[in-house]
Each structure stands twice: as C-alpha cells, then as structure tokens.
Amino acid sequence: LYRWLRSRWSMRVAALVSSLLFAVIHLELATVIPAFFIGLVCAVSFERSRSLWTPILIHCANNLIAIGLLYALLAPGVSMPGLH
C-alpha cells in the first residue's frame, strides 16, 4: 500500500495515510495509536532501505515483544502491583 501511495503522493503524505490505515485495521482502540507509530516506522524504514524485509522484520519484532510482555504479565506466579 505504501509503495502505491508513494507513487502518487509525497513520502510524508503516503507514510501518514498508510500508517493511519494500518492503525485503523487493527480495530482495537488500545492498539490504534501504537499501530500508527509502528506504521510510520515501517514506512520510513522501507523508504530508506527500499526493501520490504526491513518493515516486515520491524513488524515481527513488535509482535514478538508484545506477545512476550503479555506472556510475562499473565504467567503464573507473577504479581502485578495494585492487583490481587
């Protein structure tokens, strides 16, 4: 999507529009803003590297970190301050 938008608009506009669409398709309000910023990072990384692998790896790393944090928070025996 970014590449198609970039062929029609400036890098800035293409990155903003593709990032906004990336954020919206995540549908959950809690992830819209972080997804927007990840979308921007991925668009800029593609623009600089000209390789689709760079944003794919960034997206994978983001997902792995999120899953790791979720697992760590939900693991048995982990207590969270303020929760009993």
Side-chain angles (χ1 to χ4, degrees):
L1 175 65
Y2 171 77
R3 193 183 323 189
W4 182 81
L5 292 171
R6 181 67 174 99
S7 70
R8 286 151 180 77
W9 297 330
S10 70
M11 184 260 187
R12 184 173 290 175
V13 173
L16 289 172
V17 171
S18 66
S19 297
L20 182 61
L21 291 171
F22 180 74
V24 168
I25 64 169
H26 281 80
L27 299 177
E28 193 170 323
L29 189 58
T31 61
V32 169
I33 292 173
F36 176 77
F37 286 109
I38 291 296
L40 282 177
V41 168
C42 288
V44 170
S45 70
F46 175 78
E47 186 72 29
R48 291 186 178 179
S49 70
R50 288 299 196 209
S51 171
L52 192 56
W53 283 110
T54 307
I56 287 172
L57 291 173
I58 290 169
H59 189 247
C60 288
N62 178 68
N63 288 351
L64 283 172
I65 290 168
I67 290 169
L69 289 173
L70 183 62
Y71 178 77
L73 290 173
L74 297 177
V78 175
S79 63
M80 294 177 55
L83 297 178
H84 300 280

